[in-house]
Amino acid sequence: MDAATLGGLLDDVAAGRLSPAEAATRLARLPWADLGHARIDHHRALRQGLPEAVYGPGKAVEHVVEIVGELLTHGTGPVLVTRTDEKQATAALTTHPGGAQHGRTLVWRARPAGERTERVIVAAAGTADLTVADECAATLAAYGFAPERLTDVGVAGLHRLLAHVDDLAAADAVVVVAGMEGALPSVVAGLTAAPVVAVPTSVGYGASLEGVTALLAMMAACAPGIVVVGIDNGYGAACAVARVFGGVRRRDA
């Protein structure tokens, strides 16, 4: 349930297209629906501007399928499942046709491509960072953005990034995905006035400590104003960008 849907529901009651009893039944599912194994937060888009997503790891296949069904039937806006395994993805897409798979991310009811006009760049330091960058790009696309991709532009070959200085300067937001020593966000933030969201990844050798080194380096960056999300959290980075630009509410308001 988002602001536009709630407003439409009230309009339908006022115009006689929907009975008060039916409206009450629909509203009874707010703010959440109890499935026994999960409580689905249908109220989230109304509160936060972004609907609830499903985190795949640790969930039984049948639970993923049921949660997606609840979101599709009684929710509004895009439905996302992140970090799916093969069994979860196959079952969810078979049971609920119309979804699309982007790596390990599943999306139903994506916003129209390019609906949002903000220019967002997703830059990955290395090819090994692509799974996290892909999750970020898939989430942004689900919310109507048309993310531009820069791949393999890490600081070990800085000239590769400098070839895109004009693109960075023209961006409205940049997500930087990097492992190893996590230096790339500082460089990017020195080249653009746009908000920079840094995503440390678990990519790297022993001293990288599975992403902890990159995380701490990004949090201690000398470029001011960088926002840092958790290790490998491409989904969270995309949501941070969407929040900066008003989530889904800006368009629906």
Side-chain angles (χ1 to χ4, degrees), residues 105 122 131-141 147 175 177 199 233-235 237-238:
T105 303
V122 179
T131 55
V132 177
D134 289 345
E135 179 180 89
C136 178
T139 304
L140 285 167
V175 177
V177 184
V199 188
N233 192 3
Y235 167 77

Side-chain angles (χ1 to χ4, degrees), residues 149-165:
R149 304 291 298 271
L150 298 181
T151 301
D152 203 17
V153 291
V155 296
L158 193 57
H159 56 291
R160 301 173 299 184
L161 177 69
L162 296 179
H164 299 281
V165 167

Side-chain angles (χ1 to χ4, degrees), residues 33-40 54 58-70:
D34 192 350
L35 303 184
H37 56 82
R39 296 186 178 189
I40 309 306
V54 185
K59 289 185 174 64
V61 171
E62 59 270 23
H63 291 168
V64 171
V65 171
E66 188 176 1
I67 292 169
V68 169
E70 173 66 27

Side-chain angles (χ1 to χ4, degrees), residues 119-123 150 161-162 164-176 184-198 223-227 245:
R119 186 175 183 182
V120 181
I121 292 176
V122 179
L150 298 181
L161 177 69
L162 296 179
H164 299 281
V165 167
D166 290 343
D167 295 322
L168 294 171
D172 294 306
V174 184
V175 177
V176 184
L184 186 60
S186 289
V187 177
V188 171
L191 297 173
T192 180
V196 174
V197 180
I226 294 175
V227 174
F245 298 118

Side-chain angles (χ1 to χ4, degrees), residues 211-228:
V212 174
T213 296
L215 172 67
L216 295 178
M218 292 174 182
M219 294 182 69
C222 62
I226 294 175
V227 174
V228 184

